Amino acid sequence: HAVFLAIQDLLSRFHRMIGDWTLWYPGTDHAGIATQMIIEKELAKKNLTREMIGRKKFEDLAWEWKQSRGSRISHQVRSLGSSADYTRERFTLDVNMSKAVVEAFKRLYAKGLIYRDERL
């Protein structure tokens, strides 16, 4: 992550220096595949699956995980001295972000740029 963040920071600072309007909009994907795997492992210890508990409960668990561990990533990025605008920081499951993600996927699907299937 550090290399990726350093590149984003470098590009943001460079474009500001040459006078471009630049916004580095920070966000985290704590509801991504890695988090899903962590939550599913915790459920498995209780002999449960995400299908058994349902989408709403699973999202609640993702939010709980974000509250307890999610800020760690943000603090690490900030400690690197990155120049992102942290007043705008967002999380994948934020209502407006979720709507934007769904809309983006719908548009990509409609254009034939992505597909839906059982596997890659």
Side-chain angles (χ1 to χ4, degrees):
H1 288 104
V3 171
F4 178 67
L5 293 166
I7 292 169
Q8 287 181 322
D9 193 40
L10 175 115
L11 290 170
S12 296
R13 290 174 191 265
F14 172 76
H15 282 279
R16 283 189 208 110
M17 287 173 58
I18 63 172
D20 291 341
W21 184 89
T22 306
L23 171 63
W24 180 2
Y25 203 113
T28 50
D29 183 19
H30 298 301
I33 294 170
T35 301
Q36 179 177 337
M37 289 174 53
I38 291 168
I39 295 170
E40 286 182 350
K41 283 181 184 178
E42 290 299 315
L43 289 172
K45 291 177 186 176
K46 300 173 186 174
N47 292 320
L48 295 171
T49 66
R50 64 185 159 101
E51 292 82 9
M52 291 168 73
I53 65 169
R55 182 184 183 109
K56 174 70 174 115
K57 178 64 178 165
F58 191 83
E59 285 183 6
D60 290 345
L61 292 173
W63 273 105
E64 287 175 25
W65 189 90
K66 190 257 185 194
Q67 297 300 335
S68 66
R69 301 234 180 116
S71 62
R72 182 185 308 168
I73 295 169
S74 179
H75 291 331
Q76 288 173 343
V77 172
R78 290 173 192 226
S79 70
L80 292 172
S82 59
S83 64
D85 182 353
Y86 291 102
T87 65
R88 299 172 185 247
E89 189 169 19
R90 295 293 178 264
F91 166 56
T92 310
L93 292 179
D94 287 341
V95 175
N96 290 335
M97 298 307 289
S98 291
K99 288 179 184 177
V101 169
V102 169
E103 179 62 27
F105 274 98
K106 284 181 180 178
R107 289 180 186 186
L108 291 169
Y109 182 80
K111 291 179 181 179
L113 298 173
I114 60 173
Y115 66 95
R116 184 174 182 168
D117 205 336
E118 296 295 315
R119 59 186 175 166
L120 293 175

